[in-house]
Structure formats: structure tokens, C-alpha cells
Amino acid sequence: MSENNCNKLYEEANELYREKKFTEAVKLYKEAAELGSVEATYMLGICYNYNLGVDEPDESVRGKIASKYFIKAGDNGHADAQCFAALCYLHGIGVEKDVETAIKRFEDSAKGGCTQAMNNLGYIYENNLNYTEDEELEEEEVAENYQLAFDWYMKSAEKNDPTGQLSVGKCYYYGRGVERNIAEAIKYYTLSAQQGLADALFRLGECYDDGEGVESDEIEAFELYKQAALKNHPKAQCYVGYAYEYGNGVPKDMNEALRWYNLSAQNKYFQAYCNLGCCYEEGRGVKRNMQKAIEMYEEGAKLGSVMAMYNLGNVYAFGKGVKVNNELAVEFYERAAQNGMPEAQFNLAQHLYEGKGVEQDYEASAYWFLEAAKNGDSDAQCKIGSFYMNGIGVEEDPELGFKWFMRSAKQGDYDAQYSVGVCYEEGIGVEADINSAYDWYSRAAAQGHSGAKKAMKRLK
């Protein structure tokens, strides 16, 4: 059969494919492939990869067949097929996983102008996939990988690929492979957003929201979030809901807030579940329903929402809609604490200190108070200050105790201000200074601290 007839078969198959008559299309693609059509061979890989019109229920078998077609077409110079073949080697689909071979095939595909291959090479180097998990990378090796990633992303961006433009923007934003430059990040986010890439629209919205590299503009931020949300970006949908709930860049509208939160939750964005839980707990836009709130918090916690974990800790610690269960409270506080949430770290420390829902453990309590204190929690700073002063769970160290009291006091905690006053008056952890003692007592007294008021009268 002539080349013209081969091409005719391929075009007829394409027409059927466009009409979504996939079974008939596959039949003609096979005929064209047998006659040497590289394009038809590639399309057979696509059909088996995405289960379109093929008679093979086993996904792993389809993967093997797809990989053979991609490899064959790739070996015959088809750049997009070579990219798919590389993906098969990268993820071990239909072939044994082999990152080195994947990189070589991506490079061949990139030489043929495939921007997706360029982006995939960038991803490999950015995430150090060219090293095994048990290899310990030196800083220089990581820096070299970031540089390679940036170079590949830039090659893609220069071909006007929106994913490449977004990735270059992220490199500039986080300073990976290039010196951090917010203006350049915004430039590339904008280029990508102009082509409609949802994550670029979202990230650009964040820049306007936070005033990073541009003048803060809630209205512009909302419009960008909305555009991304309409493209089914889960996080943007949650942000749109938040904007409607609190009137950020748009008039308050709880019905719209709930609608967007629900859309985001349907797309499994963890924070949307937490926000819905808060709405049900506090009766914002819906009738107050603690059972529904707990359900939302549980879903959010399963998906990794630290705030949802913390809120569940409060639910069980304070008996919100359930019986008090300090064991469960400790479990959820600990999960949130392990994820760096200072409020959860403080509450966990308090439960350990009091032996509520867990065996009393002063050392563990001191550890978590200190973690919360390092994270800026003023109550924890005051608490760990008293632990150092009295040697509770830590070695007694009045100077450290004073340091933590002072940190808390500067944040306005009146108990800490009083304690700083005591330290200055009695020379504990710091040189005695009656004037300084009086000053700190007066600050605490101004906030209603009764002990500070008495101390001021004593020092007059």
C-alpha cells in the first residue's frame, strides 16, 4: 500500500478519534502502524495509556502495551512519543524503572522541541530524582540540580510553554537555581497566567494578596483567585470562599463562601473541610451543628489539615458536642504539634504537665512548652520561663528563665511582665534594678494584674 494510503488511514483514524469513536479509531491506527506510520504508533500508545477504545481491562497489561508503542515511535524520532516513553521509564510503567534511561529519552525528546520533556527534566533535577533515596546529597549537589532544573524550565519558558513559565517563576520566587527575585517571579507568573494556567493565576493572586513584588490589592487578588477557581483549582476555590466570608476584595456573602468551600472540599482540599467545620461549629451561614463540624474536621485532618487536627483536639478537650475525652484530645493535639502548630504544642504541653489524658511527664511537657515558645507563643514563653526558674522538667537556669519571661513580656503577656518585675526586684537571673522592676510592674498593672498593683505600692 502506498504512503498516501497509509496517511489516509491515519487521517481517517484521527477523524474518528476527534469524534470520540475510539474503538474504530484504534482499528485504523493499528492498520496504519503496521504500514509504518510513526504517528499512528504514537496514537496507539495514547489509546492504551488512557484506555480509549482498547479491549484490555488489565491496567498493568495496558501499560506494557502503551510503553511498547511509545518506545517504538520514540525510537523512530517522534518527540512526544519519546517523552511518554521516558515517563514509562521514570515511573516503571510497562518497563523496569530506570531514571537514567528516562533522562536520556527526555533529553532526546527535548532536542525534538517537546517542552513537556523539558519540564519533566526540570522536575527530575528539582526533586533530586537522579539520585536514589538512600543517597545523602551534599549541598553542592542539590545546588547543581537546582541550576539544571532552572535551565530546563527556562528552555521550556522560552518556547512560550505556560508550565515552563510557571516553573521559572517559582524558581525565582524561592531562589532555586537562581538568585531570588520576586519581580522576575511575577513576570513569569504573569506570562503563564495570561495563557490561563490555573496555578499561575493562583500564585499571582497570592502576590497581590500579600503585596509581594506588587502593591497589595485585595480586589485584584480576588479576581485572580476567582479565575483560578473557575478552572477547578482546589486551593483557589477555598481562597475565594474565604474572601466571600470575610469580605476580602469582594462584598461579604456567606452563601457564596459556603458554595466555594464545598467545591474546594469536593476537590479534596484539606483546609476547605476545616473552614466548613468552623462554619458549622459557629453557625456561620448555616445552622450550628457540632456533629457536622466534627465530620468536616475529621475529613480535613485525614487530608492533612493541621488546623483541623487542633480543632478536634479542642472538641475532645472541652467536650464540644461530645463527652470530654482527654485521650483523644492529646492524640489530636500531638498530631498538630508534630506539624509545628504552637497552640497545639502549648495545649499538649499543658496536658502532659497536668497528666490529663496521658501520663504526667514534666520533661515532655517542658519540651513542648519550649517548642511552642520558640514558635512565638507568648503563653508558652511565660510557662517555660517558670520551668527554668523552678527546674521543672529541665535543669534550673534562672538566666534562661528570665530570657523567656522577657520575650513573653515584650509580647504583652501581663503574667510575664509581672515575673520580669519580680526578677528585677529580687535580682533573679538578672542584675537587680528597682526602677526596671517598677516599670514592668506598671505595665502588668495597667492590664489589671493584681499582684503587680500590690508590688507597685510596695516599691513607692
Side-chain angles (χ1 to χ4, degrees):
M1 186 178 285
S2 69
E3 184 178 338
N4 286 339
N5 286 333
C6 180
N7 290 337
K8 184 178 178 183
L9 275 173
Y10 173 69
E11 291 303 330
E12 287 176 4
N14 275 347
E15 185 61 34
L16 290 167
Y17 186 91
R18 285 190 289 269
E19 293 174 1
K20 298 187 178 181
K21 296 177 180 178
F22 299 120
T23 303
E24 295 94 325
V26 167
K27 182 180 177 181
L28 292 184
Y29 281 140
K30 284 183 176 179
E31 290 183 31
E34 287 171 4
L35 293 168
S37 172
V38 177
E39 291 285 355
T41 304
Y42 164 66
M43 286 305 299
L44 283 170
I46 292 292
C47 290
Y48 275 97
N49 188 60
Y50 295 107
N51 194 22
L52 302 173
V54 296
D55 187 20
E56 179 48 69
D58 191 315
E59 184 179 355
S60 64
V61 174
R62 287 200 307 274
K64 289 180 181 178
I65 297 171
S67 67
K68 287 179 182 178
Y69 283 124
F70 288 140
I71 291 167
K72 184 176 180 180
D75 288 345
N76 281 284
H78 195 292
D80 290 340
Q82 188 73 294
C83 182
F84 273 96
L87 284 168
C88 290
Y89 279 105
L90 182 63
H91 300 295
I93 300 171
V95 292
E96 188 174 345
K97 185 176 179 179
D98 186 338
V99 177
E100 186 177 341
T101 298
I103 290 172
K104 289 177 181 177
R105 285 185 174 271
F106 279 135
E107 287 174 345
D108 284 343
S109 178
K111 288 174 185 176
C114 179
T115 56
Q116 185 57 53
M118 299 171 192
N119 293 330
N120 287 338
L121 282 164
Y123 179 84
I124 285 173
Y125 291 119
E126 183 178 6
N127 293 280
N128 303 308
L129 300 184
N130 55 325
Y131 290 89
T132 59
E133 291 182 2
D134 57 350
E135 287 184 272
E136 268 192 48
L137 274 69
E138 300 291 335
E139 284 186 20
E140 294 81 5
E141 291 171 318
V142 174
E144 183 181 348
N145 266 1
Y146 279 155
Q147 180 65 63
L148 286 168
F150 175 78
D151 290 344
W152 279 112
Y153 288 143
M154 183 58 82
K155 287 179 181 180
S156 173
E158 287 172 346
K159 289 184 174 292
N160 204 34
D161 182 276
T163 301
Q165 291 165 340
L166 170 64
S167 297
V168 168
K170 288 160 68 175
C171 287
Y172 274 116
Y173 184 87
Y174 295 109
R176 292 177 182 164
V178 66
E179 188 174 343
R180 190 166 192 259
N181 188 322
I182 299 299
E184 284 295 294
I186 289 171
K187 170 186 168 181
Y188 282 96
Y189 285 162
T190 302
L191 288 170
S192 181
Q194 286 170 347
Q195 296 196 64
L197 199 66
D199 199 42
L201 289 162
F202 173 76
R203 288 176 181 275
L204 194 55
E206 283 190 308
C207 290
Y208 278 100
D209 209 356
D210 300 332
E212 281 195 289
V214 290
E215 189 174 344
S216 180
D217 188 334
E218 285 188 343
I219 295 174
E220 181 65 18
F222 173 79
E223 289 302 323
L224 289 162
Y225 289 149
K226 185 76 173 287
Q227 289 179 55
L230 289 169
K231 292 178 179 291
N232 217 31
H233 190 289
K235 192 172 182 179
Q237 290 169 334
C238 186
Y239 276 43
V240 168
Y242 189 87
Y244 274 117
E245 182 174 1
Y246 293 99
N248 297 339
V250 67
K252 288 184 181 181
D253 187 331
M254 278 308 301
N255 289 331
E256 278 295 288
L258 291 165
R259 183 171 79 85
W260 285 104
Y261 284 153
N262 277 300
L263 283 170
S264 180
Q266 288 167 18
N267 283 317
K268 301 299 180 184
Y269 181 57
F270 60 86
Q271 192 56 41
Y273 280 108
C274 185
N275 290 2
L276 283 168
C278 291
C279 290
Y280 280 109
E281 180 175 351
E282 299 171 17
R284 299 203 305 263
V286 290
K287 186 176 180 180
R288 187 175 183 276
N289 184 332
M290 274 308 302
Q291 289 308 308
K292 190 71 175 175
I294 291 169
E295 287 176 22
M296 294 294 104
Y297 290 148
E298 287 175 342
E299 287 299 316
K302 286 177 189 175
L303 292 168
S305 170
V306 178
M307 181 60 74
M309 298 170 196
Y310 173 70
N311 287 347
L312 282 169
N314 287 338
V315 162
Y316 291 108
F318 300 105
K320 298 179 178 182
V322 294
K323 289 183 179 179
V324 170
N325 186 328
N326 281 306
E327 289 81 5
L328 277 176
V330 166
E331 177 186 325
F332 285 109
Y333 283 147
E334 184 168 15
R335 286 174 61 186
Q338 294 285 3
N339 280 282
M341 187 178 192
E343 296 88 349
Q345 292 168 339
F346 179 89
N347 287 1
L348 175 61
Q350 196 66 40
H351 275 67
L352 286 161
Y353 178 71
E354 297 175 9
K356 290 169 61 175
V358 65
E359 186 176 346
Q360 190 175 53
D361 187 334
Y362 288 154
E363 286 188 11
S365 176
Y367 171 82
W368 285 111
F369 276 134
L370 183 58
E371 288 299 300
K374 290 175 182 176
N375 283 320
D377 187 287
S378 62
D379 289 333
Q381 290 168 345
C382 184
K383 199 78 174 182
I384 196 64
S386 67
F387 273 36
Y388 277 114
M389 285 294 180
N390 298 290
I392 301 172
V394 291
E395 187 175 342
E396 187 175 320
D397 188 331
E399 289 185 5
L400 264 181
F402 174 77
K403 182 190 82 170
W404 284 113
F405 281 150
M406 182 61 81
R407 284 196 185 184
S408 179
K410 286 180 177 178
Q411 289 200 68
D413 186 288
Y414 76 159
D415 283 327
Q417 290 171 343
Y418 172 73
S419 296
V420 168
V422 171
C423 289
Y424 273 120
E425 183 179 359
E426 301 181 12
I428 303 171
V430 67
E431 189 175 341
D433 185 335
I434 297 301
N435 289 331
S436 292
Y438 189 87
D439 176 52
W440 283 104
Y441 284 146
S442 67
R443 297 188 197 194
Q447 295 190 71
H449 195 289
S450 58
K453 292 177 181 178
K454 292 177 182 177
M456 288 177 70
K457 289 179 180 178
R458 185 177 66 251
L459 294 181
K460 277 185 177 180

